[in-house]
Structure formats: C-alpha cells, structure tokens
C-alpha cells in the first residue's frame, strides 16, 4: 500500500497539490495581495510545471501499470484545487485591473459551480457503485481552462511582451466556461438515468 502511495505518478499528483499554496504565495510576496510582474511570472512558472504533471502522472500510471485508488481519488481533486485557487486569486486581484472582473466573473462562477456539482454527482453515483467515465471533451475542457489561466496569470506582465495576453486569457476563459456548461449537462444527463432509476 505504501509503495503504491509513493510511486512516481502519485508523487507528481502530490506535487500538483503542493503547487497550490505556492501559487498563492507568489501573490502575497509583499505581505498582501499584490500582483507585481515578478509575482505573476513566478506564479505562471509554478502553474505551468503543475499543469505538466497532470499529463505525466496519468501517462506514467498507465505505461508502468501503477494506477492506484489514492491516485484516482487525488488526481481530479488536484486539478480542481489548482483551477479554483487560480480563479479566486485572479478575481481578488483588482490592483491592476487585469484579472477576472465584471462580466468575466460569470465565466469563473460557471466553471467553479460545475466542478462542485459534478463532484457531488460523482460522489453520489460512487455510493451506487456507478462509474461515470471522463469524456474526451471534458479533457479538452480542462486543457482550455489551464491555457486560459496561464494567460491570465501572466496578465499585465505578459501584456508588455504580447499586448493581447490578458484579452486572450479572457476569451479562452469564456470558451472554457461554455464547454464546461456542456460537459456538466452531459454528466448530469448520464447520472440522471441512475438517479431516476433508484
């Protein structure tokens, strides 16, 4: 059991969870929420490294046949923690008017609400011994979310190099929100069959 818990795929998942407070820390380097250029680039590097582990933990688990229950449980949780934390940070950072604000907040709310609702659905169906597989579109949804957040983390710092960095991030965030809505509906439609059958 201990050997499975500390295999490489699981260690990569743990690293992704550890990355969450590190990203937050980048925004609080000066003792309060402030997104200096250094803070944003630091947060982006940590976020990108964490996002890469999302691919490799699954790849190594399959390639080396090192799948485990703890890995199956923590992998989606690590993704949701990383996405939710970054969205909340970007929404809270109003210092430079280059985050999630105004109408863009709705995109973040859609994403967060969907993740909570689907997690609740999965927990309920798990009690019924029903597994809801992750669709290919749901994987694309996660990828679009991660790319959007990466652009938004760079934000004003990135705008100095590529002037449309923030705007690109916001457009991708809305695309992610729309795909999120559809995949959420898809999961509920599949889960509803089992719920109504009870």
């Amino acid at each position: 059991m201990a050997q499975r818990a500390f295999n490489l795929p699981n260690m990569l998942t743990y690293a992704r969870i550890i990355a969450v407070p590190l990203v937050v820390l980048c925004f609080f380097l000066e003792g309060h929420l402030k997104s200096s250029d250094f803070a944003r680039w630091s947060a982006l590097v940590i976020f990108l490294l964490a996002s890469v582990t999302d691919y490799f933990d699954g790849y190594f688990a399959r390639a080396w046949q090192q799948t485990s229950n703890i890995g199956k449980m923590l992998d989606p949780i690590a993704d949701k923690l990383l996405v939710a934390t970054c969205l909340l940070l970007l929404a809270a950072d109003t210092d430079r008017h280059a985050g999630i604000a105004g109408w863009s907040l709705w995109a973040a709310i859609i994403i967060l609400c969907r993740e909570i609702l689907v997690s609740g659905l999965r927990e309920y169906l798990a009690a019924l011994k029903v597994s809801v597989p992750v669709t290919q579109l749901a994987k694309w949804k996660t990828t679009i979310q991660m790319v959007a957040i990466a652009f938004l983390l760079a934000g004003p710092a990135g705008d100095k190099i590529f002037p449309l960095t923030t705007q690109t991030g916001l457009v991708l965030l809305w695309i992610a929100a729309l795909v999120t809505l559809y995949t959420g509906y898809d999961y509920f439609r599949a889960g509803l069959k089992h719920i109504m059958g009870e």
Side-chain angles (χ1 to χ4, degrees), residues 5-6 9 18-19 26 49 58 60 63 67 89 95 111 116 133 135 151 154 158 162 184 186 189:
F6 293 101
I18 292 169
C26 290
L49 290 173
F60 288 135
T67 56
L89 270 177
D95 186 39
I111 291 170
I116 293 168
T135 64
F151 272 95
F162 173 60
D186 215 25
R189 187 179 58 180

Side-chain angles (χ1 to χ4, degrees), residues 18-30 32-34 39 43 46 81-82 84-86 88-89 153:
I18 292 169
V20 173
L22 293 180
V23 170
V24 175
L25 188 62
C26 290
F27 277 72
F28 283 86
L29 288 175
E30 297 181 27
H32 60 281
L33 182 62
K34 186 174 178 62
I46 294 169
L81 286 174
L82 190 61
T85 299
C86 288
L88 289 171
L89 270 177
L153 282 174

Side-chain angles (χ1 to χ4, degrees), residues 20-157:
V20 173
L22 293 180
V23 170
V24 175
L25 188 62
C26 290
F27 277 72
F28 283 86
L29 288 175
E30 297 181 27
H32 60 281
L33 182 62
K34 186 174 178 62
S35 62
S36 63
D37 286 359
F38 177 75
R40 284 186 170 270
W41 287 124
S42 300
L44 177 61
V45 169
I46 294 169
F47 177 80
L48 290 175
L49 290 173
S51 299
V52 168
T53 67
D54 185 30
Y55 169 78
F56 282 107
D57 62 5
Y59 174 79
F60 288 135
R62 290 187 297 271
W64 297 346
Q65 297 182 341
Q66 291 186 342
T67 56
S68 63
N69 288 334
I70 192 169
K72 289 176 183 176
M73 179 189 73
L74 287 180
D75 183 58
I77 290 174
D79 294 340
K80 288 172 177 55
L81 286 174
L82 190 61
V83 168
T85 299
C86 288
L87 289 177
L88 289 171
L89 270 177
L90 290 165
D93 180 26
T94 56
D95 186 39
R96 297 167 72 180
H97 308 287
I100 300 170
W103 284 100
S104 298
L105 278 171
W106 284 103
I109 289 167
I110 288 168
I111 291 170
L112 291 174
C113 286
R114 183 268 187 193
E115 298 299 355
I116 293 168
L117 289 169
V118 169
S119 294
L121 176 65
R122 283 182 174 277
E123 186 177 343
Y124 175 78
L125 292 176
L128 300 179
K129 301 289 191 283
V130 174
S131 175
V132 182
V134 177
T135 64
Q136 191 61 44
L137 187 59
K139 291 179 181 178
W140 275 106
K141 176 267 303 177
T142 302
T143 301
I144 298 168
Q145 282 181 8
M146 295 295 195
V147 175
I149 289 170
F151 272 95
L152 291 171
L153 282 174

